Amino acid sequence: MEKFLYAPEIAKLGHVSLVSADLEKSLWFFRDTIGLEETEVVDGVHYLRAWGDFEHHTLSITAGETSYIDHIGWRTKRREDVATFAKLLEDAGTEVRWIQAGDELAQGEAIRFELPSGHRFELYYDMEKTPADESRKSVLKNQTYKSWAKGVSPRRIDHVNLQTSEDNSVIVKYLQEALGFKLREYFVNPDDIPVASWLSVTNLVHDVAIISTPRSKEPNEMHHIAYWLDNAQDLLRAADILCEAEVQFVGPGKHGISQAMYIYVKDPGSGLRLEIFTNSYLIFEPDWEPVKWTYEEYLKNGSAYWGDRRRDDVVREEQVKELAKS
C-alpha cells in the first residue's frame, strides 16, 4: 500500500444537500422561518447558510419528485487530503466518484462515496467564502451577516444524525478507521450491543451521530440535521417564533447525552427533521474514553434529561425500547 507523509483529516461538517418534494414550503421553512440567508439561486438550486457560517453554503435545496438527502459534505484540513482520502478509500474497497471543480456551485474538486449504510458523503477542501451583499452585511469584520435579522436565526450548522437499519458497530468502525472520527458517547441495548453512537472530528461531542433502529425502512435514512443557537434564551425565542408560524415542534428540552438543549421541528416541504441546538460541552482531552450508556441509563436520562417527552418526534420511551431490540 502506498505510504503518505501524514494521515488525511476531516476538518469539519460543511453542508447538507437536500432534495425536497415541495420546494416552496422548504424555502418558507428554512429561509423565512428558521432564518437562513440565501447566498444564490442557480439552475433551480437554492444555496443557504446561517449568519455565522463563512462558506458559500451549509444547506442547498432543490426540487424533486421525492424528498431525500443527496449528500453530506465535509471539508478536509488540507487540499491534498481529498486525493489522499480517495486513494485510501479505494484501496479499502470503497467506490469513489470524483466531482470536478464547479460541478457544485462555489466548490472545488471533491470526491463522493457511500458509507456501508448507503449514506453518501462528499469530501472537499476548496469552497468560496462568499461575502454578504451590503444590505445584509454585518458591521463586524469577523461575521458574515447581521445577527438575528429574521426568524430563529441560528449562528451555524452543527451536526447531522443518520438513521439506519444496519449494524451500528459496522458503520462506527468505518467512520473511525476510514475517516478518522472519534467515538464520544454511545448507547447499548439490554444485550450490550451498541445501537446509537455520537462521533466527531472536532472538539464537539458530535459532528455526526448514527442510530440503528428497526423503525428504519431503509439503511440510509436521515434522523435530523442541526443548526446551532448561541444560548438557551435564543432557544426559548425560537419556540415563540415557531408558535407564531403555527409549526409544531418538540421541546424545549435537554439531552443527557451531549448535555445539549434542543427543539425538534420538521420541514413541512421535505419532512426533514431539524434540531435547533445549543449549550452542550466541548472535548479537549486527547485520551477521551467514550462514554457508555446502558439501556436503563439512556431511558432515564440519556435522551431526555428534562423537557417534553410526550410527542412522537423525539426518541421517547417506546422508541428507546425499539432501539433496544436492534
Side-chain angles (χ1 to χ4, degrees), residues 62-83:
T62 188
E65 293 185 3
T66 60
S67 299
Y68 60 93
I69 299 297
D70 182 77
H71 67 270
I72 301 166
W74 302 84
R75 193 179 185 204
T76 62
K77 285 194 173 181
R78 295 166 287 261
R79 182 175 291 109
E80 54 267 32
D81 284 349
V82 176

Side-chain angles (χ1 to χ4, degrees), residues 211-231:
I211 296 177
S212 299
T213 170
R215 294 179 65 240
S216 288
K217 297 178 181 179
E218 301 292 339
N220 58 341
E221 296 179 4
M222 177 68 75
H223 189 274
H224 67 261
I225 67 171
Y227 274 83
W228 170 268
L229 293 175
D230 280 348
N231 53 54

Side-chain angles (χ1 to χ4, degrees), residues 249-256 262 264 293 296-320:
F249 58 90
V250 174
K254 181 175 180 177
H255 294 306
Y262 64 84
Y264 288 102
W293 295 75
E296 292 79 10
E297 291 167 340
Y298 188 77
L299 188 62
K300 182 178 180 180
N301 290 321
S303 178
Y305 182 50
W306 55 258
D308 190 344
R309 299 169 182 247
R310 295 171 297 170
R311 300 191 189 180
D312 294 335
D313 296 74
V314 295
V315 181
R316 19 169 227 172
E317 184 170 345
E318 291 84 357
Q319 294 173 344
V320 172

Side-chain angles (χ1 to χ4, degrees), residues 196-268:
S197 303
W198 289 256
L199 307 94
S200 69
V201 288
T202 65
N203 299 116
L204 301 178
V205 177
H206 64 311
D207 299 298
V208 62
I210 182 77
I211 296 177
S212 299
T213 170
R215 294 179 65 240
S216 288
K217 297 178 181 179
E218 301 292 339
N220 58 341
E221 296 179 4
M222 177 68 75
H223 189 274
H224 67 261
I225 67 171
Y227 274 83
W228 170 268
L229 293 175
D230 280 348
N231 53 54
Q233 181 59 45
D234 287 347
L235 196 73
L236 298 179
R237 174 179 172 273
D240 282 346
I241 290 169
L242 293 171
C243 282
E244 290 286 2
E246 298 184 325
V247 178
Q248 291 190 342
F249 58 90
V250 174
K254 181 175 180 177
H255 294 306
I257 292 176
S258 82
Q259 298 184 31
M261 292 181 63
Y262 64 84
I263 283 176
Y264 288 102
V265 56
K266 284 188 177 181
D267 163 28

